[in-house]
Amino acid sequence: MLVFDGSSVAALLRREQRCMVHEHPETLRRDKALRQHWLNGVPMHWMTDWQLPTPLILREASGSTLVDVDGRSYADFCLGDTGAMFGHSPPAVAAALQHQAAHGLTCMLPTEQTARVGELLAERFALPFWQITQTATDANRAVLRWARAITGRQLILVFDGCYHGSLEDTLVRLEQGRVVTRPGQIGQVADFASHARVVEFNDVTALEAALADNAVACLLAEPVMTNAGMVLPEPGFWNQVRELCSRHGTLLAIDETHTLSSGPRGHAQRLGLQADFLIAGKAIAGGMPTAVYGFTADLARRMERVLETKPSGHSGMGTTLSANALATAALVACLQDVMTDAAYAHMLSLSATLAEGLRKRISNRALPWHVTSVGARSELVFTPTPARTARQSLAAASPELERLLHLYLLNRGVLVTPFHNMMLVSPATTDAQVQSLLDHFDEFLHELS
């Protein structure tokens, strides 16, 4: 069995940090220039979450490969934290954007391709009506506003540890039986916890109690929890959720932003789960900032009645650039030519190879770890068995060990997601890149022993 302690992890981490600094002179030079005008040297503060000695600065990204300004190449298993799930600059999307760029970027009007996007979305996800936003956060915000408007209820319900972008309504957690605001929210003044209920994932009893008074407008959830490691639904869980929501008049909104990795139609359809609303962002337009939300014909009629009765003016939903011509072109290209059955067959098969390779290496060293898989997404978890809730999953985290693993792989040309041990396979990912990740993971375990 592999034995290691905190001091060996710390020593290896210091060595790997020195190695990155030594091998990235141009990155260090440019980092100084970035810090003159960007907060902490990055244009978006999440970019420091990699916890590297210096942020990696890219020269280009193509397919499943990144190249930094020092000319070093990386097999990319992060893929923009899912935004580039189908590879960087898929050729069909790049061509569509190039063509549309010469014929209008944004006009606040539908284009001749808008009808085709609706057809493709309805065919793929089995919901007849749709809207386009710029981000999944925007889409989730619109869904919750619509749900409150058409039900006349104020409360929403989420699972503890949920991920729905930066939507304030969902940045709440369960603490000793009470709903509280998630710590770390900058500048927040509104009490969103007072308008939310939170239960643990997979806890049907708690969910039934939360819905019993018929006061909840909407349950917003991922079909698999992905933000605290991956937490899978227990058998029959979603059937019970669907029945409870229907019984209590609560609308069910399924956020497939991360779980589009499960297959061409997302994870909900794999489960046989029929949502009232469905949200998909990040990768749905091949990496172009775009998201969509779909809904049933019954909801469309109820939404139309709300629009007929409200005063003209701002609705609190939408932005000027939503559903712009570039986004529409990218959606058509991605849905029609990128998110194909053949592309998913490659992703799922190669991801299974990766997951099995990780499991084999864990087993060979009798490590009390496991690997969770959801479609083309795999997660290395430092516990012997899968978690049932997000809280259990977070408790299993080992931040220093994760940080070392990520930097160790990066220094050897392999990039994984910084927030946890997620590894995503794209249609462009190769057998050789998967083998490289597995070989370096072997080396990592050997050095720790």
Side-chain angles (χ1 to χ4, degrees), residues 333-386:
C334 193
L335 290 164
Q336 191 167 264
D337 302 317
V338 177
M339 296 173 64
T340 64
D341 291 347
Y344 271 102
H346 174 85
M347 293 165 66
L348 299 178
S349 174
L350 197 52
S351 183
T353 299
L354 171 59
E356 186 54 37
L358 293 170
R359 292 187 183 107
K360 180 179 178 181
R361 285 153 179 80
I362 291 169
S363 176
N364 287 346
R365 290 171 172 80
L367 283 165
W369 300 350
H370 75 277
V371 176
T372 301
S373 296
V374 176
R377 185 186 300 267
S378 298
E379 183 107 29
L380 172 66
V381 188
F382 301 130
T383 60
T385 56

Side-chain angles (χ1 to χ4, degrees), residues 64-295:
S64 57
T65 302
L66 305 177
V67 180
D68 69 21
V69 293
D70 286 282
R72 297 176 63 86
S73 295
Y74 304 87
D76 188 6
F77 291 89
C78 172
L79 296 167
D81 193 25
T82 305
M85 181 192 297
F86 303 112
H88 298 284
S89 297
V93 174
L97 291 174
Q98 183 177 18
H99 173 79
Q100 185 59 49
H103 297 87
L105 305 180
T106 184
C107 307
M108 211 176 72
L109 289 168
T111 72
E112 61 182 355
Q113 294 191 85
T114 304
R116 180 59 180 155
V117 174
E119 292 170 0
L120 291 167
L121 289 168
E123 177 185 348
R124 183 175 292 266
F125 297 112
L127 284 171
F129 289 94
W130 294 85
Q131 293 280 273
I132 300 174
T133 64
Q134 284 195 282
T135 69
T137 295
D138 295 333
N140 283 318
R141 179 178 293 111
V143 163
L144 292 188
R145 280 181 171 267
W146 279 120
R148 284 168 165 147
I150 62 184
T151 63
R153 303 174 180 181
Q154 292 188 353
L155 294 175
I156 60 115
L157 192 150
V158 294
F159 291 116
D160 194 37
C162 65
Y163 173 75
H164 303 293
S166 56
L167 176 57
E168 294 90 343
D169 301 70
T170 66
L171 297 177
V172 291
R173 63 186 300 178
L174 196 60
E175 205 60 70
Q176 298 180 338
R178 293 177 56 248
V179 179
V180 299
T181 300
R182 246 187 236 184
Q185 304 310 306
I186 296 173
Q188 182 167 312
V189 294
D191 180 17
F192 290 97
S194 65
H195 294 92
R197 290 179 178 173
V198 182
V199 299
E200 296 281 11
F201 195 61
N202 282 317
D203 191 339
V204 175
T205 301
L207 178 65
E208 185 167 16
L211 296 178
D213 61 358
N214 300 331
V216 175
C218 182
L219 166 59
L220 175 59
E222 294 180 286
V224 173
M225 299 199 76
T226 66
N227 205 43
M230 292 196 296
V231 182
L232 304 178
E234 294 180 339
F237 173 69
W238 278 113
N239 289 337
Q240 296 177 79
V241 173
R242 176 67 275 184
E243 191 279 325
L244 285 170
C245 286
S246 298
R247 184 197 311 172
H248 294 287
T250 296
L251 298 173
L252 177 59
I254 295 296
D255 185 348
E256 292 269 18
T257 294
H258 280 170
T259 51
L260 285 179
S261 63
S262 293
R265 289 161 181 79
H267 201 83
Q269 286 203 39
R270 287 186 63 180
L271 297 171
L273 175 62
Q274 182 60 53
D276 299 303
F277 287 102
L278 185 142
I279 301 97
K282 287 194 178 181
I284 193 70
M288 181 70 185
T290 308
V292 296
Y293 63 98
F295 38 95

